[in-house]
């Protein structure tokens, strides 16, 4: 197969791995690496880059790496020693052992030997390279064999395999930019899916198609010339029956709609045989499988192969097959799809049929299918205004399905159309999913201003439902309920707009202060919509609410069901579900699963182009990473969240929580205040003040206590405690009790602090909130230790440590260890001399020696800065030092019987 010129994008990790191997040959000795992957993956470019780096660095290196290169060709495969002669540029023996000895003598310093297309290499040369690596382990030699796969002679050589997988869509965009093509992300995604992430095929299409083709969003791409030629050659080698079966499968295959990812369902053999007019399709299938044009189970052909087959058939034959396929398939959408594919020009009657089916699928919540149908209907429509409306509805359905990436590419087209309420509502809808609060609000107000509610209640109801989404993202419960009631009244309770408004309305009811009524409304709605795509919306909303009202296990089950789109549904709803499911896993202590769900959500966000929910995902990732002491990952998650948090409150609040929780894990309580104090100034009427939705109050109150702002902490807690008691919200009472206990302990009221902590622990007995359990125990233990109740503190801190250890919260395990050490319950007091440090002094000395200030040490040990200074004065006197620098110089050999224990 011919391939485009070598391309290198998206291979930083593999290049780094090869650099590391090459850098180590001087110590570890000879290595043999097989660099494999399908044609076009960038193997040759990667090997060339590695070699070029050695040649360019030769003048600078004290011991330069010598580069030997060869390229195997099939017609020299029988020429013994041919590849080796290229490498050494001299004659070599035919015997591999003797030739290996000659190669050994030629390696006088670090050497890189690269053989491209090694699968076509002669056996003698390949065996020689393997022999020299096996027999001369101390040689500073890296043999890099580049091949499509590690089979044939290569399989017997040993060594390591580095297989190149597909590159990412961003890498395809980078590849296009290098060729002067600035691709919209949706177009880059389409090119990536079409080429299955193969950079060589993407590069070929970028060079073969005109620039105008890349300036618009067009998911229908041809096969590159080298793929078309290869497929054409394989088709020509098949008999008529096999060619007919391959053509039938290509016509019947269902290309994924924009926003859908992965292959579609296999083609039914019975349908393919009927379309190909084969009474016994198995011989033809066997022949097509041998030609690598079909799979035995008729999986969807690769997109480029399907495009090549259809191009080979020609427009007329393809249209005839599509017309016949309409009589073969049973599904109405597929039948109409084939009729549309067969229609060369406008056909208003067919367009009306497709439009009716699109509305039916939209009513069922199958937005991805509806989007494709409306797009097809628009192509067949002669009336320009009706065509524009159908195109607009197609984009609206595309957004509803969660494909903000593809829909955003069509924004210029929609903006160029005559202004209508529907047009403005669609553009607002997309702005919501992209997190653009100001734009969405402006467009929604304009749409509502120009819609005629009496003449067009359906469109008015649709606009009202978009106001519901806008209010949800603004965390405005009463406003959400008001627009939801309006949407249901205008569009109808069973309409798509009405059902989606109802699926979200309960969240607004709960955020407005009536969670019991919200739960009752969801129970009724779940009975009314028990299955189908709309049920996904109900499950997501109900799961979100259940998490907020402490029905955590119910929430996990429901959100897991809403995360799947296999039986229909929306990527948008799945993404919301991923964000809240990850939070459910965090509070119950299943942090590995939480991070797995976050990764799935990140992928959904990437492929859909929806930015609205990314900060919610990164909040979970930042919190877990910080608690595990993985600071780089935690800071990166905060950075990503902060880069997107300029729009909606549902983006800003998790960003602030992420920053605050990373700061808290670092004992940076000033940072916690900086992140969270703005939330105290948010106007009333949002879910920020309602228990269960956003766990920020206890984190802020604790920071206020540590910073000595006791009155501010008390004022903050008082109002939220009253609301939590009124709602009977247990987890909020637990968290607020934790903060109240901190405050009471800090102000010297140990009895009240003990009561607060014990009440929180009592409430936790029937709840699966493992992280909160550890958090309360840790704070209780710290408070007891500060009050001099060392044995009680030791027990409580040990219990907290056990839970933190099980969770993998290394940051707090270490903090527990410091607290236990400072308590000194297990110290052997009789062995300590008058000049030895006490356990508390050891803890202070340890932290000061790491460079922390008195204020930071006080925050870590939950004592006052004055107490730290007192201990530090005694430490200086005992150790005979005068400065923090001298203390640090002594660390970690401080005197005392516990040191090193």
């Amino acid at each position: 197969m011919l391939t485009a010129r070598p391309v290198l994008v998206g291979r930083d990790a593999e290049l780094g791995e090869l650099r590391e191997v090459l850098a180590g040959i001087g110590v570890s000795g000879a290595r043999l690496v097989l660099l494999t992957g399908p044609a076009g993956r960038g193997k040759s470019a990667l090997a060339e880059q590695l070699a070029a780096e050695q040649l360019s660095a030769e003048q600078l290196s004290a011991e330069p790496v010598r580069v030997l290169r060869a390229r195997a060709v099939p017609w020299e495969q029988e020429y013994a020693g041919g590849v080796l002669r290229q490498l050494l540029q001299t004659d070599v023996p035919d015997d591999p052992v003797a030739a290996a000895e000659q190669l050994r003598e030629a390696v006088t310093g670090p050497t890189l030997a690269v053989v491209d297309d090694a699968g076509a290499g002669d056996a003698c040369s390949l065996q020689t390279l393997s022999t020299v690596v096996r027999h001369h382990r101390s040689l500073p030699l890296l043999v890099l064999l580049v091949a499509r796969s590690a089979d044939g002679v290569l399989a017997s050589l040993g060594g390591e395999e580095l297989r190149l997988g597909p590159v990412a869509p961003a890498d395809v965009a980078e590849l296009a930019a290098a060729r002067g093509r600035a691709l919209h992300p949706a177009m880059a995604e389409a090119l990536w899916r079409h080429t299955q992430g193969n950079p060589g095929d993407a590069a070929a299409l970028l060079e073969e198609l005109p620039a105008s083709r890349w300036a618009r969003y067009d998911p229908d791409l041809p096969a590159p010339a080298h793929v078309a030629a290869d497929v054409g050659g394989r088709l020509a080698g098949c008999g008529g029956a096999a060619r007919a079966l391959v053509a039938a499968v290509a016509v019947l295959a269902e290309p994924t709609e924009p926003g859908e990812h992965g292959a579609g369902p296999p083609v039914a053999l019975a349908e393919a045989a009927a379309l190909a007019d084969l009474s016994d399709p198995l011989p033809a299938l066997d022949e097509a499988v041998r030609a690598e044009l079909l799979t035995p189970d008729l999986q969807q052909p690769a997109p480029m192969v399907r495009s090549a087959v259809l191009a080979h058939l020609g427009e007329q034959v393809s249209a005839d097959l599509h017309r016949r396929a309409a009589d073969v398939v049973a599904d109405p959408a597929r039948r109409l799809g084939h009729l549309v594919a067969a229609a060369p020009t406008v056909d208003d009657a067919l367009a009306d049929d497709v439009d009716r089916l699109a509305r039916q699928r939209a009513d069922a919540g199958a937005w991805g299918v509806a989007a494709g149908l409306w797009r097809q209907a628009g192509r067949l429509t002669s009336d320009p205004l009706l065509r524009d409306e159908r195109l607009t509805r197609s984009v609206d359905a595309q957004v509803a399905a969660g494909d903000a990436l593809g829909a955003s590419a069509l924004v210029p087209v929609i903006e160029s159309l005559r202004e209508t309420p529907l047009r403005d509502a669609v553009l607002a809808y997309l702005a919501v999913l992209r997190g653009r609060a100001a734009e969405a609000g402006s467009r929604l107000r304009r749409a509502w201003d120009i819609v005629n509610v009496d003449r067009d209640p359906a469109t008015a109801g649709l606009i009202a439902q978009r106001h519901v989404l806008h209010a949800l993202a603004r965390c405005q419960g009463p406003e959400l309920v008001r627009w939801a009631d309006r949407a249901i009244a205008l569009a109808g309770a069973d309409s798509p707009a009405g059902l989606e408004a109802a699926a979200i309305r309960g969240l607004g009811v709960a955020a407005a202060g009536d969670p019991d009524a919200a739960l009752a409304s969801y129970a009724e709605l779940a009975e009314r919509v028990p299955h189908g795509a709309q049920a996904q919306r109900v499950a997501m909303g109900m799961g979100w609410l259940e998490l907020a009202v402490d029905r955590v296990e119910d929430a996990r089950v429901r959100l897991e069901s809403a995360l799947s789109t296999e039986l229909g549904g929306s990527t948008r709803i799945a993404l919301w579900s991923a964000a809240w499911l990850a939070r459910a896993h965090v509070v119950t202590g299943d942090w590995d699963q939480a991070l797995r769900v976050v990764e799935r959500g990140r992928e959904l966000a990437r492929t859909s182009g929806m930015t609205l929910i990314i900060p919610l995902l990164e909040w979970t990732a930042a919190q877990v990473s910080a608690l595990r002491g993985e600071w780089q990952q935690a800071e990166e998650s905060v950075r990503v969240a902060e880069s997107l948090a300029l729009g909606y409150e549902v983006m800003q609040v998790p960003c602030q929580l992420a920053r605050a929780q990373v700061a808290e894990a670092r004992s940076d309580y000033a940072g916690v205040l900086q992140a969270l104090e703005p939330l105290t100034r948010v106007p009333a009427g949002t879910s920020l003040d309602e228990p269960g939705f956003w766990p920020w109050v206890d984190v802020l109150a604790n920071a206020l206590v540590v910073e000595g702002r006791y009155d501010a902490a008390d004022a903050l807690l008082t109002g939220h405690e009253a609301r939590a008691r009124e709602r009977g919200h247990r987890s909020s009472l637990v968290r607020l009790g934790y903060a109240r206990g901190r405050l009471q302990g800090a102000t010297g009221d140990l009895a009240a602090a003990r009561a607060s902590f014990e009440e929180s622990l009592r409430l936790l007995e029937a709840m699966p909130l493992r992280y909160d359990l550890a958090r309360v125990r840790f704070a209780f233990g710290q408070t007891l230790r500060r009050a001099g109740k060392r044995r009680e503190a030791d027990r409580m801190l040990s219990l907290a440590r056990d839970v933190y250890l099980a969770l993998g919260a290394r940051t707090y395990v270490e903090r527990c260890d410091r607290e236990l050490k400072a308590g000194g319950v297990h110290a052997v007091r009789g062995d300590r001399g008058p000049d030895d440090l006490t356990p508390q002094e050891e803890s202070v000395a340890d932290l000061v020696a790491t460079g922390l200030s008195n204020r930071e040490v006080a925050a870590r040990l939950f004592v006052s800065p004055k107490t730290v200074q007192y201990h530090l004065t005694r430490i200086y006197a005992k150790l005979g030092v005068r400065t923090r620098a001298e203390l640090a110089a002594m660390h970690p050999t401080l005197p005392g019987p516990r040191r090193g224990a």
Side-chain angles (χ1 to χ4, degrees):
M1 181 191 297
L2 298 174
T3 59
R5 61 187 177 88
V7 207
L8 185 63
V9 292
R11 300 301 180 198
D12 290 345
E14 293 89 345
L15 183 58
E17 187 173 343
L18 289 174
R19 285 171 178 157
E20 186 175 338
V21 172
L22 183 57
I25 58 175
V27 176
S28 61
R31 302 274 291 273
L32 187 148
V33 175
L34 291 167
L35 181 62
T36 63
R41 284 281 169 86
K43 304 181 299 297
S44 297
L46 179 56
E48 179 62 30
Q49 175 66 25
L50 183 68
E53 289 178 355
Q54 313 318 310
L55 295 172
S56 63
E58 196 167 330
Q59 301 299 321
L60 304 175
S61 175
E63 190 175 15
V65 176
R66 181 187 180 194
V67 179
L68 309 176
R69 284 185 282 194
R71 177 181 295 276
V73 289
W75 52 88
E76 293 182 355
Q77 204 162 19
E78 301 305 318
Y79 180 44
V83 166
L84 205 56
R85 285 180 174 82
Q86 283 190 61
L87 288 173
L88 297 178
Q89 292 296 297
T90 186
D91 290 334
V92 296
D94 292 343
D95 174 54
V97 176
E101 183 62 26
Q102 182 173 336
L103 177 58
R104 184 193 67 77
E105 293 173 356
V107 177
T108 58
T111 303
L112 169 65
V114 179
V115 180
D116 205 356
D117 291 330
D122 65 282
C124 177
S125 294
L126 297 176
Q127 290 165 359
T128 296
L129 292 169
S130 175
T131 298
V132 78
V133 170
R134 292 173 188 269
H135 291 190
H136 304 286
R137 300 299 303 167
S138 61
L139 273 184
L141 171 67
L142 171 59
V143 176
L144 184 62
L145 303 181
V146 181
R148 294 188 186 180
S149 61
D151 54 12
V153 175
L154 297 179
S156 65
L157 301 182
E160 312 148 58
E161 182 178 4
L162 177 60
R163 186 163 182 80
L164 299 189
V167 299
D171 298 319
V172 171
E174 179 187 341
L175 183 65
R179 284 161 172 72
R181 306 279 194 254
L183 299 189
H184 186 281
M187 191 67 245
E189 177 85 10
L191 178 58
W192 174 77
R193 282 192 287 129
H194 184 67
T195 60
Q196 298 183 309
N198 189 304
D201 293 328
L205 277 175
L206 286 164
E207 292 174 355
E208 292 169 9
L209 297 181
S212 58
R213 185 69 176 268
W214 303 108
R216 65 181 193 271
Y217 175 57
D218 185 0
D220 298 321
L221 293 169
H226 67 273
V227 174
D230 176 64
V231 171
R234 283 186 275 159
L235 281 171
C238 293
R243 289 199 301 272
L245 187 63
V246 171
V249 170
V251 167
L252 290 168
E254 300 177 50
T256 55
E257 292 291 341
E260 297 177 0
H261 302 279
V267 174
L269 182 58
E271 290 181 352
L275 184 57
D277 198 20
L278 297 174
S279 57
D280 181 9
L282 294 181
L285 176 60
D286 288 341
E287 186 177 358
V289 169
R290 287 193 298 272
E292 297 183 356
L293 292 166
L294 296 177
T295 62
D297 54 355
L298 292 188
Q299 290 291 332
Q300 295 278 315
M304 292 185 297
V305 172
R306 181 175 185 270
S307 295
V309 171
L310 294 177
H312 180 79
L313 293 174
E315 295 293 336
Q316 183 61 56
V317 173
S318 294
D320 290 342
L321 283 172
H322 276 296
R323 275 189 286 270
R324 289 175 53 201
D327 295 326
V328 170
V329 300
D331 179 71
R334 291 181 63 201
R335 176 181 175 277
L336 285 175
H338 286 299
L339 291 176
V340 170
T345 58
V346 297
D347 185 332
D348 287 316
L350 179 57
D352 290 342
D353 289 342
V354 176
D355 179 82
R356 278 191 290 274
L357 183 60
R359 292 174 186 272
Q360 292 173 14
R361 295 303 167 96
D363 288 345
W367 294 110
V369 176
L373 290 167
W374 265 315
R375 188 168 56 253
Q376 293 170 348
R379 184 173 71 79
L380 298 175
T381 302
S382 60
D383 183 295
L385 295 181
L386 185 55
R387 182 174 62 246
D388 290 350
E389 179 193 331
R390 286 169 174 169
L391 174 60
T392 304
R393 289 193 182 280
S394 172
V395 175
D396 188 61
Q398 199 169 341
V399 178
D403 182 22
L405 198 65
S408 64
L410 296 172
V411 165
V413 177
I414 300 301
E415 287 181 328
S416 70
L417 303 179
R418 179 178 64 95
E419 184 183 29
T420 64
L422 177 63
R423 167 189 172 274
D424 288 336
V426 171
L427 293 172
Y429 194 8
L430 182 57
V432 170
L433 297 192
R434 296 165 81 186
R436 300 178 177 180
E439 178 189 347
S442 176
R443 291 191 184 279
L444 284 170
R445 286 190 294 273
R446 175 62 179 167
W448 188 253
D449 287 343
I450 65 177
V451 72
N452 189 312
V453 176
D454 295 328
R455 284 197 308 228
D456 193 1
T459 300
L462 180 70
I463 297 167
Q465 185 263 326
R466 303 299 153 78
H467 272 286
V468 170
L469 299 178
H470 183 60
L472 176 68
R474 297 298 308 271
C475 300
Q476 296 175 336
E479 186 77 355
L480 189 160
V481 174
R482 184 169 70 87
W483 281 107
D485 290 342
R486 187 173 289 175
I488 294 167
L490 288 168
D494 294 326
S495 69
L499 283 171
E500 182 145 356
I504 298 172
R505 183 182 183 277
L507 292 168
V509 171
D514 197 348
D516 291 337
L519 287 168
S521 70
Y522 271 121
E524 184 276 328
L525 189 60
E527 286 187 9
R528 187 156 64 90
V529 189
H531 51 75
Q534 293 290 10
Q536 182 202 25
R537 291 153 173 77
V538 177
M540 186 279 293
M542 193 170 184
W544 183 350
L545 177 60
E546 286 171 332
L547 177 61
V549 299
D550 293 335
R551 290 167 51 170
V552 183
E553 294 303 333
D554 291 339
R556 284 173 60 165
V557 172
R558 214 172 300 275
L559 290 167
E560 282 171 356
S561 71
L563 183 56
S564 172
T565 59
E566 291 180 1
L567 299 178
S570 166
T571 299
R572 172 174 56 90
I573 303 301
L575 191 47
W576 277 110
S577 301
W580 294 115
L581 179 59
R583 294 308 306 167
H585 287 310
V586 166
V587 298
T588 56
D590 193 352
W591 292 355
D592 287 337
Q593 185 60 23
L595 293 180
R596 282 191 286 269
V597 173
V598 165
E599 281 303 315
R600 183 168 178 185
R602 284 168 170 165
E603 178 64 13
L604 287 172
R606 183 192 66 76
T607 55
S608 67
M610 292 172 55
T611 57
L612 179 67
I613 306 167
I614 291 176
L616 274 170
L617 295 165
E618 298 302 337
W619 167 29
T620 292
Q623 182 181 7
V624 172
S625 296
L627 290 169
R628 289 180 165 178
E630 297 166 348
W631 302 112
Q632 185 175 350
Q633 295 94 315
E635 290 293 344
E636 176 61 16
S637 289
V638 172
R639 186 198 65 76
V640 171
E642 287 181 339
S643 71
L644 299 171
L646 299 177
Y648 283 106
E649 283 78 356
V650 82
M651 306 170 80
Q652 295 169 6
V653 175
C655 174
Q656 290 166 288
L657 281 165
R659 172 56 70 193
Q661 285 166 333
V662 172
E664 183 182 66
R666 290 188 182 276
S667 296
D668 174 16
Y669 293 99
V672 175
L673 298 182
Q674 183 180 12
L676 295 184
E677 279 196 303
L679 297 181
T680 64
R681 299 187 288 273
V682 173
T686 73
S687 59
L688 284 171
D689 290 332
E690 192 61 27
F693 281 91
W694 301 102
W696 64 277
V697 178
D698 62 298
V699 181
L700 176 57
N702 179 60
L704 289 168
V705 171
V706 174
E707 292 291 301
R709 294 170 56 184
Y710 301 148
D711 290 342
D714 179 65
L716 174 66
L717 289 170
T718 299
H720 287 276
E721 287 168 333
R723 191 173 294 108
R725 283 193 293 270
E726 180 184 347
R727 304 282 189 266
H729 197 278
R730 293 178 300 162
S731 68
S732 291
L733 290 170
V734 166
R735 295 177 186 124
L736 296 171
Y738 149 87
R740 176 63 72 179
R742 284 282 206 190
L743 175 60
Q744 291 162 334
T747 54
D749 192 347
L750 179 61
R754 187 189 296 273
S756 294
F757 287 128
E758 288 177 348
E759 175 62 12
S760 289
L761 292 174
R762 186 190 65 78
L763 288 169
L764 281 167
E765 287 176 359
M767 303 177 72
L769 309 181
R770 297 169 66 204
Y771 173 61
D772 287 296
L773 176 62
R775 187 171 167 81
V776 173
R777 285 174 172 172
F778 178 71
F780 195 1
Q782 272 194 320
T783 302
L784 289 168
R785 181 190 58 74
R786 182 175 181 178
K789 307 294 184 181
R790 290 183 297 177
R791 292 195 178 278
E792 288 184 87
D794 185 90
R795 174 181 170 276
M796 194 58 63
L797 289 166
S798 295
L799 290 172
R801 186 188 189 280
D802 289 343
V803 180
Y804 280 133
L805 185 62
L807 292 173
R810 182 163 59 89
T811 301
Y812 275 85
V813 170
E814 293 173 358
R815 203 162 295 177
C816 286
D817 288 341
R818 281 199 301 272
E819 292 290 334
L820 290 165
K821 178 180 178 180
V825 170
H826 301 298
V828 184
R829 303 184 207 285
D831 295 341
R832 181 178 289 116
D835 293 331
D836 289 332
L837 302 186
T838 67
Q840 180 78 316
E841 288 166 354
E842 284 191 38
S843 294
V844 170
D846 284 344
L847 292 171
V848 169
T850 64
L852 296 181
S853 68
N854 286 6
R855 188 182 187 87
E856 290 169 329
V857 173
R860 294 281 179 96
L861 297 179
F862 199 60
V863 296
S864 70
K866 288 183 179 180
T867 300
V868 173
Q869 183 57 50
Y870 168 77
H871 286 305
L872 195 55
T873 301
R874 291 175 58 85
I875 291 165
Y876 286 172
K878 288 182 178 182
L879 300 182
V881 298
R882 292 175 298 173
T883 67
R884 305 169 86 90
E886 290 178 6
L887 176 63
M890 293 186 66
H891 193 272
T893 56
L894 304 176
R898 289 169 48 92
R899 177 62 53 191

